[in-house]
Amino acid sequence: MDLAQVTQRMQIDALYADYAHCLDNDELEAWPEFFTEDCHYRITSAENYEAGMPIGIVYATSKAMLVDRVMALRKANIYEPQRYRHMVGAIQIGAAEQGVVPVVANLLVVRTMQDGAMMLFAAGRYVDRLVRQGEAWRFARKDVVLDSRQIDTLLAIPL
Amino acid sequence: MDLAQVTQRMQIDALYADYAHCLDNDELEAWPEFFTEDCHYRITSAENYEAGMPIGIVYATSKAMLVDRVMALRKANIYEPQRYRHMVGAIQIGAAEQGVVPVVANLLVVRTMQDGAMMLFAAGRYVDRLVRQGEAWRFARKDVVLDSRQIDTLLAIPL
Amino acid sequence: MDLAQVTQRMQIDALYADYAHCLDNDELEAWPEFFTEDCHYRITSAENYEAGMPIGIVYATSKAMLVDRVMALRKANIYEPQRYRHMVGAIQIGAAEQGVVPVVANLLVVRTMQDGAMMLFAAGRYVDRLVRQGEAWRFARKDVVLDSRQIDTLLAIPL
């Protein structure tokens, strides 16, 4: 492993840290910036993912759609009393192919309600494809593959 | 990213790992060693933190106060049947300013009771300022910012 | 820290990521490959571990025994409706002694049932000894030390 490879791993680790804090800090307007212009973003269940079903609960095929989604969320949620905490781990970085780096990572989201009650909100994995654009790594594709099929309540927020 | 930057990131990752194991192993007497002599340590809620309220549920302004706190905990707790497990992730390292490195990290603590029941005990983030002292990184400041306001039961232990 | 040390840390981080995904993807047939031929693998409680009791709930003294275990699991479980998600963190890498690297890491496993309910399944730590074999790091010893004594339900699966 040379310094370039080491640097790449650290940059990708840092990307996932930044991504988690962006969402947990409710900085949703910055969230689309993690993606390429023609990105694919999807939230789906493991069951549907493994069955090869293309459409997820959330499905976007461009960064512009993510921007729209954030605006819709801001309009819909007058007041958001919950807090979310993303734990991301087991970041597995594959070999680049034509500049695209495949990454899989485990995800656990804990929700804290206004009264202080905490609950497991989502568990699953990110199945991502990253590209380098200038100084930044961005998601060309992000599949959020949730272990649970019960993901109706997840509709509201990006993961 | 040069080797010095890479090394710094790894040292800081290792610091958070050591910190977690210190607490989870109930080695509280070693815990103040992670801090500078004139450190600030605070446990507070996200709500109070965002409102800029300076005083937290736990508030110490020196390492000596942390040492006192551990002694008080040891006196108060004849027997401690719970176990705690700290999961720390999304370690976000900022640019150093005059030797001080700002770091934010996500935190999830699971408590296991003597009967085996597990519960989410705390979720939140560390908002820290690190300095290098000789061979060691130490916390000049650590704000433990919890997602929940219900933190009465957290009084007992360092996080 | 020189490049060799940096590389070692990254390889070990990657090993734990690969290990987590192997289990979470239910690729149990690949699981014994993470171990040396004469490995020790054990699942035990923190209480028994601290008391120095050698035998755990699961106890294997060779890779062949792990292979057998996987075959038994496959026979026993006609259909496995649960999903598991391993969060591994606080990876603490010690100094090598005669080629053996001691590693401790925190572990949290979340189980998602078929109906979508999520629960904390296991919390604890790995207490491991790693060796380098060719291009791969392998576990010469892995003690899965669980915070809970109630581990009957854990019998079924590797951790």
Side-chain angles (χ1 to χ4, degrees), chain C:
Chain C
M1 204 179 269
D2 61 21
L3 191 57
Q5 291 171 301
V6 166
T7 296
Q8 178 182 298
R9 284 205 156 256
M10 289 209 156
Q11 289 169 340
I12 291 174
D13 279 356
L15 175 76
Y16 281 86
D18 292 345
Y19 187 88
H21 289 294
C22 174
L23 294 181
D24 292 343
N25 291 341
D26 193 28
E27 298 166 350
L28 299 188
E29 283 72 17
W31 170 65
E33 292 304 314
F34 286 94
F35 294 85
T36 61
E37 292 296 329
D38 59 346
C39 67
H40 279 62
Y41 175 81
R42 183 166 60 142
I43 301 178
T44 189
S45 68
E47 200 169 38
N48 284 355
Y49 184 81
E50 287 157 12
M53 294 177 67
I55 304 301
I57 298 298
V58 174
Y59 189 59
T61 55
S62 71
K63 180 175 163 182
M65 288 176 68
L66 300 181
V67 172
D68 284 350
R69 184 163 186 83
V70 169
M71 290 200 303
L73 280 168
R74 290 300 192 203
K75 271 193 192 163
N77 287 292
I78 307 301
Y79 181 60
E80 171 59 66
Q82 299 99 15
R83 290 180 189 274
Y84 298 90
R85 192 60 49 193
H86 284 66
M87 305 305 292
V88 179
I91 297 175
Q92 193 181 46
I93 303 173
E97 278 191 38
Q98 297 180 320
V100 180
V101 178
V103 178
V104 179
N106 276 350
L107 168 70
L108 181 65
V109 184
V110 170
R111 177 162 66 176
T112 301
M113 307 304 287
Q114 203 178 9
D115 67 0
M118 284 176 280
M119 58 170 290
L120 298 173
F121 180 67
R125 68 191 197 276
Y126 291 126
V127 183
D128 298 339
R129 297 177 80 74
L130 275 63
V131 294
R132 184 83 175 167
Q133 294 188 325
E135 289 297 297
W137 286 96
R138 291 208 172 84
F139 296 109
R141 179 170 195 104
K142 181 181 274 295
D143 284 303
V144 187
V145 183
L146 298 176
D147 292 338
S148 175
R149 294 183 300 177
Q150 284 189 325
I151 48 180
D152 312 286
T153 56
L154 297 174
L155 282 170
I157 58 151
L159 288 174

